[in-house]
Amino acid sequence: MHTMTAPTAADPTRSRSRDVQGDFLLQPPNPAERLPRRIDPVDLRRLDLLALLTAAGIAPSAGDRDAIERLSELPGSVHTALRRWLEQAYGFCR
């Protein structure tokens, strides 16, 4: 594990962009330079379903990937009902 330290007055020549091992740190991204991208609704529903299952304590097994893909391809209204059922059954809200 790399330990990060800030430059000290004892060593003013040490760059803020380096850690103790000499690796360069990446600058945070500039939101103005982001490329406009749209995420496919199927992908959003798949990610939402995976997050919902995880929050409910249900770990999808390797064979569940196809079922999750198929459920994600269904219309948004079906996904909304599925989400509501899982939230009610497992007693949590988003």
Side-chain angles (χ1 to χ4, degrees):
M1 179 161 79
H2 294 253
T3 304
M4 307 305 295
T5 58
T8 63
D11 189 4
T13 61
R14 187 160 185 86
S15 169
R16 284 185 182 264
S17 65
R18 291 179 172 259
D19 71 7
V20 287
Q21 274 74 27
D23 291 336
F24 286 96
L25 301 176
L26 296 176
Q27 294 294 321
N30 181 354
E33 294 175 359
R34 290 185 179 175
L35 299 175
R37 297 279 187 239
R38 294 205 58 177
I39 299 176
D40 189 341
V42 171
D43 292 332
L44 287 175
R45 288 192 292 267
R46 185 184 72 251
L47 292 171
D48 188 50
L49 183 55
L50 287 168
L52 189 63
L53 290 170
T54 301
I58 303 168
S61 19
D64 294 343
R65 179 175 286 251
D66 187 51
I68 290 170
E69 279 297 322
R70 298 288 181 165
L71 288 169
S72 300
E73 292 169 357
L74 295 173
S77 60
V78 174
H79 184 74
T80 300
L82 180 60
R83 182 180 343 125
R84 186 179 63 249
W85 296 336
L86 284 169
E87 287 174 349
Q88 289 174 356
Y90 288 95
F92 63 90
C93 296
R94 292 184 69 131

